[in-house]
Amino acid sequence: MEAGGIAAHGLLADGRSAALVDRSGSVNWWCPERFDAPSVFCRLLDITGGHWWIRPAEHFEVRRSYLPDTLVLRTVFRTEHGEVSLTDGLLLEAGARGHDIGRRSPGVLVRVVEGLSGTVPMVLSYSPRFEYGRRSAYLVWRDGKLLATSGPTTLAMTAPMPLTVQGAEATARFTVGAGQRDAFVLAYRPTFHETAPHPVDPTDPLGDTVEGWRSWAAHHDYQGHYPELVRRNALVLQGLTYAPSGAVVAAATTSLPEEIGGDRNYDYRYAWLRDFSLTLRALWVAACPTEANRLFGWVASAVGRIDGQPVPIMFGVEGERDLTERRIETLRGYADSTPVWVGNEAWRQRQLDVPGEVLDAALRLREYLDPMHPEVRDLLRSLADQAVTSWREPDAGMWEARDAARHYLSSKVFCWVALDRAVRFGDRLGDAEDLARWSAARDEARETILREGWNPQVGAYTGAFGSDQLDASVLVMPIVGFLPATDERMRATIRLVEQRLSRGGLVRRWAGDPAAFTLCSFWLVQCLALAGERDRAAAMFENVTGVANDLGLLAEQVDPHTGEQLGNFPQAFSHIGLIIAAWELTTAPSGAVPTGGGS
């Protein structure tokens, strides 16, 4: 990998998949069929994993940005002999606008090279590797296209100049003069399905895609602090959305490590119900909640009937349940951090916070769920019913511990949230008997949490009942309205988390966590704002957002000492946290006491 690491990359998206392009113009990740499909480029995880780069053949400096209100990336290379731009995008379906973008995207990656000044020598290297680097293909010219086929996958490249083909790699050297434009088009298609080639405008191949993204952004009118940040982060969340179903993936990648050389490398290209619910809250803040009914319909369909069984916590992007892990032995991993995984065993876990996450998002978006679809109503009722008994049980917690189950405090709090939001829905969700049952369980859970969650020796609410370990997940307590941030014990907890787990506002989940967890950092910002410490909260917010890369993208974690971003990228959690924290800084007056996360 080139210098700059994980954060060197920009995100391209088309509503079905994502590609990552680094500062040197190399596409190092693309799974064209859908987010969690096998890759055709995965140099991100191994130098031999496949790539497609276009860059100057001499020393260059780089500046880059997204075209306004799009996920179309423009990189400008400055060399001794002139400047050249490289504009990259995954095509949206022609003519798709607003909330229809991405639902039928064609799987086409377009790269446009344009001379800005002087004459710049360029070099191209194209080397696809299929199925996570396991399979290469001979490249052959046919009907004016460079074809690469391996099993079920075919890539067809159209190039404006001859490419030299040698085995599984194609290369070219060419020059670009001022005013010259050359477009390269790489189209994916299933090998054994006849599909018509996607039409591409030769004069402006990315123009319609730019208009598609801008039409989506035009639907959203956030009124609050940091409007440009919120707008950009909402666009990233849309880029992580699988448009045909509405599922939101946790991240675009698999197996990027939480610690260099470590083995906590997981596949995040799936839809967690927790992430889905938080995303809906963030999109509500960003003034783009209009697809709530469709998205809740997808959740109801994916979850199905619970019938007393634990709530499934995650799915494939089209609702697949079985996400069994398998190790990819052919890849060495990012910076030799093994193993590389496809699949995620967390799908088997019991995580009791999920019903509360879903019901909280539903209550916040209740006006958009009117009339409520019967399947959605049945799902929400079932989640509340399950919380009546499950709040007493241990679980794996929101950090998905893979050892013993525990009575995690944040899980108990979200069980309380599930019951509280169900009661507040009133007769739209249940009859008088339901409401009485939910209310009684809510009050019992609250009393137990307050009694068992507080550790007087530590002087704080700790991560689990009977534990003496601080855990940043307890910061959700004021955020969801369980306790005001001004409560004496809550303030003491916030203070200890900041003192012991935070460095410059970058918050680790627990002592010994190798890096700060970006979402927890935004939770601390929210807690300070809710406690009336608006100025400190704002300063911390700006410090945390400052760790984003030059395109505003955030990974899951960040090394608080070096600022290096770690973990899967870009991470929905991190961008969600930024949006919601910006809104808290907008709305929480000095000394405010929250009225509850669902209001």
Side-chain angles (χ1 to χ4, degrees), residues 161-473:
M161 75 277 296
L163 305 181
T164 300
V165 175
Q166 191 168 20
E169 182 179 12
T171 59
R173 289 185 173 272
F174 58 101
T175 59
V176 179
Q180 179 182 344
R181 286 178 98 237
D182 292 318
F184 299 82
V185 178
L186 183 62
Y188 156 81
R189 65 173 175 83
T191 301
F192 302 108
H193 296 268
E194 290 296 331
T195 55
H198 182 79
V200 176
D201 182 348
T203 62
D204 189 13
L206 287 168
D208 187 72
T209 292
V210 167
E211 291 307 310
W213 282 115
R214 289 176 178 167
S215 72
W216 183 88
H219 282 274
H220 313 126
D221 186 25
Y222 167 77
Q223 300 293 323
H225 295 336
Y226 308 101
E228 291 304 316
L229 269 178
V230 169
R231 193 176 181 90
R232 168 54 51 186
N233 279 265
L235 198 62
V236 173
L237 291 182
Q238 180 63 19
L240 294 173
T241 299
Y242 182 73
S245 68
V248 180
V249 297
T253 57
T254 179
S255 302
L256 294 181
E258 297 179 11
E259 181 179 21
I260 300 300
D263 61 0
R264 291 178 58 86
N265 316 322
Y266 304 120
D267 192 347
Y268 277 11
R269 299 171 299 157
Y270 304 110
W272 273 255
L273 290 188
R274 180 187 304 114
D275 294 45
F276 160 83
S277 301
L278 287 169
T279 300
L280 281 180
R281 289 184 228 168
L283 293 178
W284 176 84
V285 167
C288 41
T290 55
E291 293 191 319
N293 236 320
R294 185 176 77 88
L295 299 186
F296 269 101
W298 173 80
V299 169
S301 174
V303 173
R305 294 184 63 86
I306 298 173
D307 292 332
Q309 297 301 309
V311 180
I313 67 164
M314 61 187 293
F315 302 92
V317 294
E318 293 185 350
E320 299 87 351
R321 186 79 58 93
D322 186 343
L323 305 177
T324 300
E325 281 179 350
R326 69 182 192 276
R327 185 168 179 170
I328 305 299
E329 302 285 355
T330 52
L331 297 175
R332 294 180 299 177
Y334 176 87
D336 292 325
S337 301
T338 57
V340 171
W341 295 108
V342 169
N344 193 311
E345 286 301 306
W347 75 276
R348 302 179 188 271
Q349 289 187 348
R350 185 179 183 88
Q351 297 179 18
L352 299 181
D353 65 302
V354 170
E357 301 274 11
V358 175
L359 274 155
D360 185 51
L363 187 66
R364 187 182 296 274
L365 290 158
R366 57 191 178 273
E367 66 182 284
Y368 300 95
L369 297 175
D370 190 11
M372 188 183 292
H373 193 283
E375 284 189 359
V376 174
R377 183 175 182 270
D378 288 347
L379 171 66
L380 298 180
R381 283 172 52 88
S382 297
L383 294 176
D385 286 340
Q386 185 159 121
V388 170
T389 56
S390 65
W391 75 264
R392 299 180 179 88
E393 300 171 4
D395 75 328
M398 67 168 57
W399 306 137
E400 302 185 339
R402 295 197 175 193
D403 53 5
R406 297 177 178 83
H407 290 279
Y408 287 103
L409 190 67
S410 58
S411 296
K412 308 296 186 188
V413 168
F414 272 104
C415 287
W416 174 89
V417 169
L419 296 163
D420 178 72
R421 299 333 185 230
V423 170
R424 289 166 63 179
F425 259 117
D427 59 10
R428 286 189 62 193
L429 205 58
D431 58 25
E433 183 178 338
D434 292 325
L435 297 176
R437 181 162 44 87
W438 296 337
S439 179
R442 175 191 63 180
D443 295 344
E444 184 184 357
R446 178 179 176 82
E447 291 173 5
T448 304
I449 293 165
L450 291 173
R451 181 180 65 251
E452 302 294 334
W454 176 259
N455 186 313
Q457 284 72 43
V458 177
Y461 291 103
T462 54
F465 287 180
S467 172
D468 62 359
Q469 299 298 310
L470 284 176
D471 190 305
S473 64

Side-chain angles (χ1 to χ4, degrees), residues 497-508 516 521 524 543-544 559-562:
V497 168
E498 184 177 5
Q499 289 173 355
R500 299 184 184 179
L501 299 182
S502 169
R503 180 186 177 94
L506 298 173
V507 180
R508 292 174 295 154
S521 305
L524 181 56
N543 186 57
V544 176
D559 186 321
H561 301 283
T562 66

